[in-house]
């Protein structure tokens, strides 16, 4: 913004003197050092025709000036010069006045700094005691043939130098979000560097060398200038600065409580409590076990002593042995549950109807699915991240819309990193003359680049703050983008000078370059020549989505991407590496990731489909059956049935997508990738259960018609399917009330797909099952029903067939019945299971606080994406944070009261005004994440009106406010309000930033405020700052939370509506509520599970056991997330909701089989099982095999395929979570749940299948008679 180095301006303040002849060099050209004697006076010419006027050496006595000179001197330097001799003349005062005014534009807001600055140069120019602290050391002949001073020493006391520096070091120049010290002192960090910057002779700097040596014995006849420096918090109100420029006068903001949470030592309180409670539980258990063992021994000894005293012969009344072979019948529930009876009868009737009219049922199902699928014509995938992750009614979305509408969309940035890290030793300096020259050529190619479609160039679309030059932040900017300005011999020194003094080397867009934005790994402590990376950023103007201007920008970005891809090869040949990103790159790479993952997902689903079809088709195929009649395999196979079952799953997905697409709800990539997995998990399990139960009914009721057998099977399994489907559907539907579209849309689609899938399974699949059984009993081949297999002996009434089928129990079922279930329900094993699983639960709870928030965008990219290296370089080398804007809206800034609520540089600004609060927050970046001073447009506007800045506000040839009553002042008294305010603001916003007036508004504030000249108000404005460098997801989340806190603080103190805005906020808004949202969603889903399971199972205790088991599954998965580095975000939240649904699917069928045990299975229980143990054994034998083969193995096969994905997001957020889900859900459902039910489960109910009186009892006995002797599970 500043067109010339202030150093040139300040040097001109030194230039106010001059003269010399023939080069003279000696240590002391000021012969006499005494009070009242000069060292310099007047101007004697320049070194060359284009040089600045230099002072004349003059060691004569000081003289009294003319009254006119005196008057001018007092007006420039103050009342202290009202009397006494001086060492300056009129022409010196012209230069002094002109150049001090230029400096004043940077420092006028702080009276102490201004006074000290003016005093230093007024004393240098006019003090009558010059010879005491000035010593001319070099002279030469000027272009006027007179001697001029070319080098001198200026002695200043350390006290004055320190006070001078301290008064100015915190003064802000808001136009660049920086400090005045960057302009008047080259960013000096101490007074020595400050004075050195002012005195060094350089092009566009001081025209002669002025040294500031430390006073001492080296100058025995001299004394340092020892005026008292004014402090920024001076007791004299005249010199006191405001809070923005002087930290010592600022009120302290309240401390921000660090959100570290509750800890006991290094452990979070939650972790400590879980471990403590579990330890107490284990300790109490051990004590109880020891006491039990002791008591049992005591009782045994007592019993033995009593037996010795009694007759050993048994009484006739005593039972002489356990003659009960089928103990299960003794514990058979006798009571009925009315709701279950009603549901059993309803599903029985439904099954009979579907089996009786299969063609009509199948036809209606297909037609309904077809009609629902018509909605596919409106199918659309939502890929816009804003509309995907942010609720349109959320504060973040509304604020972004307001910002874009008021100030325009945020800039588009194209960025490249040129890095020298291709050697094994690590990063090395990237800069050399050859590299620099090559990079000039690369940027020249970018400047000339035309887009392929529209022929657009960078000049057509770039951001031009001054109207004529593109903003390109690059090392080439120090040389105005022209290689001819680079000397092969002095380039390194020139570059160092430019980085130290950026005002000397302004780029074409006239804004000083920040070295940290141009050189990777560079900071104030390192040499720029040692930088390991060069950073170039092309800033492109953004436009509303879908506009022609946006399309042109995207077209050029495509061409830029192709060019930079080519440049990468050139860089590699030079031993360098180039990484880059364009505004269109991220979305393209994310879509590429999705396309890559699509293949893996399809393969995963195909494997699950094939396995499910094959496994389902082999439910009745066993070795004995094949050996007795090999042809029976062609008939018994159910591969077609399995394929149709899988097609029903796909039909339910299609119907759900069609239904909700037709309703205008867009599909997300999460839905496309997850819903089939979810519905397949639920659907396959239900299909296995129905088929397995139908096979049992075939054996127990062989004489019934197919319709009756199908009705009985569905009557028994229907309520179980209803239990799982209803809990899952309602749990998923709860997500529809969530504002986040990605979660809400998933919940809607998932609930619809699960519900439709369940409906099709109890209707269409049942009809297909009946047709399949008819095919089997007519001995027709699977897959080719037109072919009849002779001598297959498939008649259901054939006793030999039934005997074979009874003995053809699968190996898995036999293992569960004879080995696994009995071992699991042993008393000692049950204790061990409880201890182990409660230990897992404790570990899961303990790890919950370790789960991180966020989603690193690198994870969402394919593993071979070129953007991964760019994001790595961005994190490693880019040492600047994203910009942040504090936006005011609907505030009438034309009123004085509201002006005082915003400003910070005037004495009547409110203590906790917006500008003051932002400045205070900047001073504690560790909690505020604010790095730079805020750009306060209102302060710069009022400074622009200062008549002291004669080149700023000029109207009709007159300086604004020059003769105004009351005059311009720092109290804002008499400053513009109302219509006058709007008038001057409109002039200021169009005023260019020049060396003569650095507070013009056009370049820094052209889009910082909205002016409504009709309503005479400012409906929107922003105050720009920037965040500290944000390296991690946690940094981004905390920075967003901090900005919210700061905005709330400002609003609370001032009553002004303020909100923060940064480009990344819209994506991190979800993390402000995601923990609460996760808790609410999971908690609500679990509550629904408890209520529905308790109602449908007829037992609160059993419902509670099922719910607790699902809780344990989910908690263990969350703990696993902490271990395998899966953070919490919308993707993992969706997966956690899935975990609840599939967890219910694993548990519901076993729980119902426990509450309503099958009499046929229960009668086979071993005699040692009694009560709940018998029902737990029955549940495992009845449905355990279906749960394991139908859902566990199917899911494991599908999940393992995901391990081969190239996308990190699938490997982390799908493979890891789903693998944990399948493992934890399976072991909890098949290990923990039966044990928990056997201990804590509710009382069982009579299975409706047993409610048939004598007929049912005879059928059951006939079924048992068919079992071989070794298959009977009695002891």
């Amino acid at each position: 913004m500043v067109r010339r180095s202030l150093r040139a301006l300040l040097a001109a303040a030194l230039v106010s003197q001059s003269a010399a002849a023939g080069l003279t060099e000696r240590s002391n050209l000021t012969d006499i050092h005494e009070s009242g004697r000069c060292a310099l006076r007047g101007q004697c010419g320049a070194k060359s025709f284009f040089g600045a006027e230099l002072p004349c050496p003059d060691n004569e006595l000081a003289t009294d000036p003319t009254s006119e000179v005196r008057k001018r001197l007092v007006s420039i330097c103050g009342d202290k010069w009202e009397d006494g001799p001086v060492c300056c003349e009129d022409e010196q005062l012209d230069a002094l006045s002109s150049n001090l005014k230029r400096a004043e534009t940077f420092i006028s807001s702080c009276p102490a700094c201004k006074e000290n600055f003016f005093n230093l140069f007024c004393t240098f120019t006019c003090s009558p005691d010059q010879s005491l602290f000035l010593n001319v050391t070099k002279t030469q002949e000027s272009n006027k043939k007179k001697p001029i001073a070319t080098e001198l020493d200026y002695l200043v006391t350390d006290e004055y130098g320190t006070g001078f520096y301290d008064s100015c070091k915190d003064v802000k120049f808001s136009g660049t979000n920086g400090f005045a010290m960057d302009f008047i002192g080259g960013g000096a960090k101490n007074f020595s560097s400050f004075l050195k910057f002012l005195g060094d002779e350089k092009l566009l700097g001081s025209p002669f060398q002025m040294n500031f040596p430390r006073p001492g014995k080296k100058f025995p006849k001299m004394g340092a200038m020892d005026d008292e420096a004014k402090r920024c918090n001076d007791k004299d109100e005249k010199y006191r600065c405001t809070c923005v420029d002087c930290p010592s006068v600022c009120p302290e903001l309240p401390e921000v409580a660090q959100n570290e949470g509750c800890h006991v030592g290094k452990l979070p309180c939650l972790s400590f409590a879980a471990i403590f409670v579990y330890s107490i539980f284990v300790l109490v258990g051990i004590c109880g076990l020891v006491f039990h063992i002791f008591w049992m021994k005591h009782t045994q000894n007592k019993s033995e002593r009593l037996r010795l005293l009694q007759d050993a012969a048994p009484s006739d009344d005593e039972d002489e042995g356990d003659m009960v072979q089928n103990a299960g019948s003794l514990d058979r529930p006798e009571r009925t549950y009315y709701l279950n009876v009603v549901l059993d009868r309803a599903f029985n009737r439904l099954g009979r109807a579907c089996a009786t009219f299969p063609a009509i049922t199948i036809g209606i199902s297909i037609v309904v699915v077809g009609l629902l699928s018509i909605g596919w014509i409106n199918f659309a995938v939502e890929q816009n991240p804003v509309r995907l992750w942010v609720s349109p009614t959320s504060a973040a979305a509304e604020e972004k819309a307001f910002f874009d509408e008021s100030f325009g969309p945020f800039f588009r940035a194209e960025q490249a990193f040129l890095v020298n890290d291709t050697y094994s030793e690590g990063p090395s300096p990237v800069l050399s003359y050859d590299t620099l020259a090559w990079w000039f050529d690369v940027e020249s190619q970018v400047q000339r680049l035309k887009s392929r479609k529209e022929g657009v160039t960078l000049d057509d679309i770039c951001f031009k703050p001054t109207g004529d030059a593109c903003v390109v932040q690059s090392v080439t900017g120090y040389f105005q983008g022209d290689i001819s300005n680079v000397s092969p011999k002095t380039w390194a020194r020139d570059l160092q000078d430019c980085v130290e003094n950026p005002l000397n080397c302004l780029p074409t867009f006239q804004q000083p370059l920040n070295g940290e934005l141009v050189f990777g790994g560079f900071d104030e402590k390192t040499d720029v020549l040692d930088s390991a990376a060069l950073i170039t950023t092309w800033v492109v103007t953004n436009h509303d989505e879908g506009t022609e201007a946006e399309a042109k920008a995207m077209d050029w970005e495509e061409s830029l991407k192709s060019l930079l891809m080519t440049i990468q090869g050139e860089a590699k040949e030079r031993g360098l590496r180039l990484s880059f990103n364009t505004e269109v790159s991220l979305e393209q790479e994310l879509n590429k990731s999705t396309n890559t993952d699509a293949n893996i997902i399809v393969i995963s689903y195909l494997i699950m489909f094939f396995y499910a079809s094959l496994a389902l088709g082999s439910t009745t195929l066993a070795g004995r059956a094949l050996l007795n009649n090999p042809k029976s395999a062609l008939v018994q196979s159910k591969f077609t049935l399995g394929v149709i079952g899988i097609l029903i799953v796909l039909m339910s997905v299609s119907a759900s997508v069609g239904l909700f697409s037709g309703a205008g709800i867009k599909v997300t990539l999460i839905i496309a990738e997850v819903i089939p997995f979810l519905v397949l998990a639920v659907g396959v399990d239900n299909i296995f259960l129905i088929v397995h139960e139908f096979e049992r009914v075939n054996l127990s009721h062989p004489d019934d018609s197919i319709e009756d057998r199908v009705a009985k099977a569905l009557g028994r399994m229907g309520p179980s399917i209803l239990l799982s489907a209803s809990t899952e559907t309602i749990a998923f539907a709860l997500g529809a009330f969530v504002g986040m579209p990605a979660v809400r849309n998933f919940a809607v689609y998932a609930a619809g797909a699960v519900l439709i899938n369940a409906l099709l399974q109890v209707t269409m699949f049942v009809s297909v099952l009946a047709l399949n059984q008819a095919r089997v009993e007519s001995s027709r081949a699977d897959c080719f029903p037109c072919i009849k297999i002779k001598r297959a002996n498939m008649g259901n009434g054939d006793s030999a067939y039934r005997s074979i089928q009874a003995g053809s129990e699968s190996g898995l079922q036999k293992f569960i019945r004879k080995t696994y279930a009995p071992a699991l329900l042993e008393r000692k094993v049950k204790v061990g299971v409880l201890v182990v699983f409660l230990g897992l639960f404790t570990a899961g709870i303990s790890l919950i606080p370790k789960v991180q928030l966020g989603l690193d965008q690198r994870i969402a990219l394919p593993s071979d994406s070129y953007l991964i290296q760019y994001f790595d370089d961005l994190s490693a080398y880019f040492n600047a944070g994203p910009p942040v804007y504090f936006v005011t809206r609907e505030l009438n800034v034309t009123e004085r009261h509201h002006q005082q609520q915003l400003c910070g540089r005037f004495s009547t600004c409110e203590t906790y005004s917006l500008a003051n609060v932002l400045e205070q927050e900047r001073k504690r970046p560790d909690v505020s994440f604010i790095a730079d001073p805020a750009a306060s447009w209102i302060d710069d506007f009022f400074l622009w009106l200062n008549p002291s800045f004669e080149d700023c506000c000029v109207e009709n040839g007159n300086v604004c406010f020059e003769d105004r009553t009351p005059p311009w002042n720092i109290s804002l008294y008499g400053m513009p309000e109302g219509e006058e305010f709007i008038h001057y603001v409109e002039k200021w916003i169009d005023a260019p930033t020049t060396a003569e007036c650095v507070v013009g508004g056009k370049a820094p504030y052209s889009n910082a405020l909205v002016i409504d000249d009709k309503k005479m108000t400012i409906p929107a404005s922003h105050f720009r700052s920037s965040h500290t460098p944000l390296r991690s997801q946690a940094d981004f989340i905390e920075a967003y939370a901090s900005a919210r806190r700061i905005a709330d603080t400002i609003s609370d103190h001032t009553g002004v509506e303020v909100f923060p805005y940064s480009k990344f906020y819209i994506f991190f808004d979800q993390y402000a509520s995601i923990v609460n949202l996760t808790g609410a969603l999971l908690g609500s889903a679990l509550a629904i599970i408890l209520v529905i399971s308790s109602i449908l199972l007829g037992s609160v205790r059993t419902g509670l056991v099922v719910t607790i088991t699902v809780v344990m599954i989910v908690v263990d998965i969350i703990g696993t997330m902490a271990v395998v580095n899966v953070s919490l975000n919308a993707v993992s939240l969706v997966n956690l909701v899935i975990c609840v649904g599939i967890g219910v699917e694993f548990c519901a069928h076993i729980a119902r089989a426990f509450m309503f045990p099958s009499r046929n299975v229960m009668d086979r229980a071993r005699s040692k099982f009694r009560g709940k143990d018998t029902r737990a054994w029955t549940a495992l034998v009845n449905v355990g095999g279906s749960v394991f083969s139908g859902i566990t193995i199917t899911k494991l096969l599908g999940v393992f395929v995901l391990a081969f994905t190239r996308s990190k997001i699938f490997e982390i957020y799908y493979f890891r979570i789903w693998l944990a889900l399948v493992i934890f859900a399976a072991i909890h459902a098949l290990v923990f749940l039966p044990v928990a039910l056997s201990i804590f489960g509710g009382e069982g109910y009579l299975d409706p299948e047993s409610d048939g009186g004598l007929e049912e009892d005879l059928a059951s006995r006939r079924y048992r008679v068919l079992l071989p002797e070794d298959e009977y599970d009695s002891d």
Side-chain angles (χ1 to χ4, degrees), residues 1132-1153:
S1132 50
L1133 173 55
V1134 167
N1135 277 328
L1136 287 176
V1137 175
I1138 288 178
C1139 291
V1140 173
I1142 295 184
V1144 171
E1145 184 65 29
F1146 269 95
C1147 299
H1149 304 300
I1150 290 178
R1152 191 178 185 282

Side-chain angles (χ1 to χ4, degrees), residues 673-705:
E673 294 158 351
V674 171
I675 294 294
F677 177 91
L678 172 65
V679 180
L680 190 65
V682 175
V684 169
D685 191 32
N686 291 340
I687 289 172
F688 269 77
L689 287 168
I690 292 173
V691 172
H692 287 169
E693 183 61 27
F694 182 68
E695 292 300 329
R696 291 192 184 95
V697 174
N698 277 339
L699 295 177
S700 61
H701 298 79
D703 298 328
D704 290 357
S705 66

Side-chain angles (χ1 to χ4, degrees), residues 281-308:
F281 168 78
V282 172
L283 183 61
V284 171
I286 293 173
C287 294
L289 180 63
V290 171
F291 176 78
H292 176 73
I293 294 173
F294 173 78
W295 180 253
M296 290 299 294
K297 287 184 177 180
H298 172 73
T299 304
Q300 184 178 5
N301 292 336
K302 184 177 180 180
S303 299
E304 289 177 354
R305 288 196 299 270
L306 289 174
R307 267 201 310 272
L308 292 174

Side-chain angles (χ1 to χ4, degrees), residues 714-730:
L714 186 61
R716 175 165 180 78
M717 284 296 115
S720 184
I721 293 173
L722 175 65
L723 171 61
S724 62
S726 59
T727 52
E728 291 161 1
T729 300
I730 296 176

Side-chain angles (χ1 to χ4, degrees), residues 158-180:
D158 290 351
E159 290 75 18
Y160 187 86
T162 301
F164 177 27
Y165 173 76
D166 288 343
S167 69
C168 295
K169 66 179 181 180
D170 292 305
V171 177
K172 310 303 182 302
F173 181 63
S174 58
T176 60
N177 288 105
F179 294 86

Side-chain angles (χ1 to χ4, degrees), residues 537-691:
T537 305
W538 295 271
V539 182
V540 175
T541 302
N542 205 355
H543 302 274
D544 292 332
E545 184 179 357
T547 60
E548 182 180 353
E550 185 200 39
K552 288 183 178 181
M554 295 173 67
D555 183 29
W556 184 82
E557 287 165 351
E558 282 289 344
S559 299
L560 176 65
K561 186 179 74 171
S562 300
L563 174 63
L564 293 180
M565 286 286 190
T566 303
I567 301 300
Q568 282 183 328
E570 297 181 19
K572 188 174 182 180
E573 293 175 359
R574 293 174 171 272
L576 304 173
R577 178 176 54 77
L578 179 72
S579 65
F580 69 90
N581 173 54
T582 68
E583 195 74 19
V584 297
S585 294
L586 183 59
E587 184 172 336
Q588 290 177 345
E589 289 298 292
L590 290 176
N591 291 337
K592 174 184 173 184
S593 173
T594 302
N595 295 333
T596 301
D597 295 331
N599 297 329
I600 295 294
I601 294 169
V602 169
I603 293 172
S604 173
Y605 289 147
L606 287 176
I607 289 176
M608 289 190 287
F609 291 164
F610 183 77
Y611 165 76
S613 300
L614 194 62
L616 191 63
S618 62
T619 53
T620 54
L621 291 178
R624 186 181 300 183
L626 291 175
L627 290 175
N628 282 273
N629 191 349
K631 291 184 178 181
S632 66
L634 299 176
V635 177
Q636 291 182 44
S637 170
K638 295 183 179 62
F639 185 80
T640 302
L641 183 64
V643 170
I644 293 176
I646 301 305
L647 288 177
I648 287 176
V649 171
L650 299 179
M651 288 171 64
S652 65
V653 174
S654 174
S656 179
V657 172
L659 173 63
F660 296 113
S661 292
I665 301 176
K666 288 188 176 182
V667 173
T668 67
L669 295 178
I670 292 179
I671 292 173
E673 294 158 351
V674 171
I675 294 294
F677 177 91
L678 172 65
V679 180
L680 190 65
V682 175
V684 169
D685 191 32
N686 291 340
I687 289 172
F688 269 77
L689 287 168
I690 292 173
V691 172

Side-chain angles (χ1 to χ4, degrees), residues 251 253 886-893 895-904 908-918 1023 1045-1059:
L253 293 177
F886 289 88
V887 183
T888 67
R889 57 180 168 184
E890 302 307 327
L891 183 70
N892 188 3
V893 191
E895 296 181 4
R896 178 75 67 242
H897 172 60
H898 293 313
Q899 295 168 1
Q900 293 166 335
Q901 290 173 330
L902 300 183
C903 68
T908 58
C909 296
E910 290 188 4
T911 302
Y912 291 100
S913 68
L914 187 149
N916 282 340
V917 170
L918 291 182
F1023 293 72
R1045 175 188 59 79
I1046 294 169
D1048 291 343
T1049 298
I1050 295 169
S1051 296
D1052 291 343
H1053 280 104
T1054 64
V1056 176
E1057 185 180 359
V1058 179
F1059 69 84

